[in-house]
Amino acid sequence: QVQLVESGGGSVQAGGSLRLSCEASGLMFSRLAMGWFRQGPGKEREFVAGISWSRSDTKYVDSVKGRFTISRDNGKNSVYLQMNNLRPEDTGVYYCASDRTEWAPKPPVRESEYRYWGQGTQVTVSS
């Protein structure tokens, strides 16, 4: 049984920081790119960040570049999202997801390319 479990969400003021974690089980984590997505109030879910299985390649949506950092620990089957200088527009439910394809050289950015999803963790940033 595959499980992706996010944690680390919460409420912070603008300018604050949070670190999200996602622990995976039941899949070949070290072979898969991982991604973080978010869905804000009244918005569609969007790609936030992705990291290749080897950590050699990362991608970010433009709005978080320079503020968010994705990382992973294959020994712990975990992926992380360090979020600094948070803004109210970062508010939403954050989901981690695993790539459909093993050994992909680059992390995908489209939802359809991710197979398994976590249940999400709420991030609320107040002004």
Side-chain angles (χ1 to χ4, degrees):
Q1 181 182 359
V2 175
Q3 280 193 311
L4 300 178
V5 181
E6 301 99 335
S7 60
S11 297
V12 296
Q13 291 191 326
S17 298
L18 286 172
R19 186 180 190 238
L20 305 184
S21 299
C22 171
E23 184 172 357
S25 59
L27 49 68
M28 300 302 291
F29 180 84
S30 62
R31 301 179 182 183
L32 298 168
M34 297 295 294
W36 284 97
F37 288 74
R38 68 185 177 190
Q39 186 167 20
K43 299 180 181 179
E44 294 187 352
R45 190 158 57 184
E46 66 170 346
F47 172 82
V48 175
I51 186 167
S52 62
W53 64 270
S54 64
R55 301 190 298 271
S56 63
D57 192 49
T58 57
K59 292 183 179 178
Y60 299 90
V61 67
D62 285 347
S63 60
V64 308
K65 286 180 180 177
R67 301 188 298 122
F68 290 13
T69 303
I70 189 170
S71 61
R72 67 188 293 161
D73 184 336
N74 287 345
K76 295 182 178 181
N77 282 6
S78 293
V79 61
Y80 309 98
L81 187 67
Q82 177 66 44
M83 306 186 295
N84 297 330
N85 192 19
L86 282 161
R87 303 168 180 170
E89 54 264 39
D90 295 318
T91 293
V93 179
Y94 283 69
Y95 302 88
C96 69
S98 61
D99 194 356
R100 290 183 178 274
T101 304
E102 293 183 350
W103 310 120
K106 297 181 181 297
V109 299
R110 293 180 294 183
E111 283 192 46
S112 60
E113 296 179 272
Y114 287 86
R115 181 175 183 182
Y116 295 109
W117 294 78
Q119 82 290 347
T121 186
Q122 176 71 44
V123 171
T124 303
V125 185
S126 58
S127 57

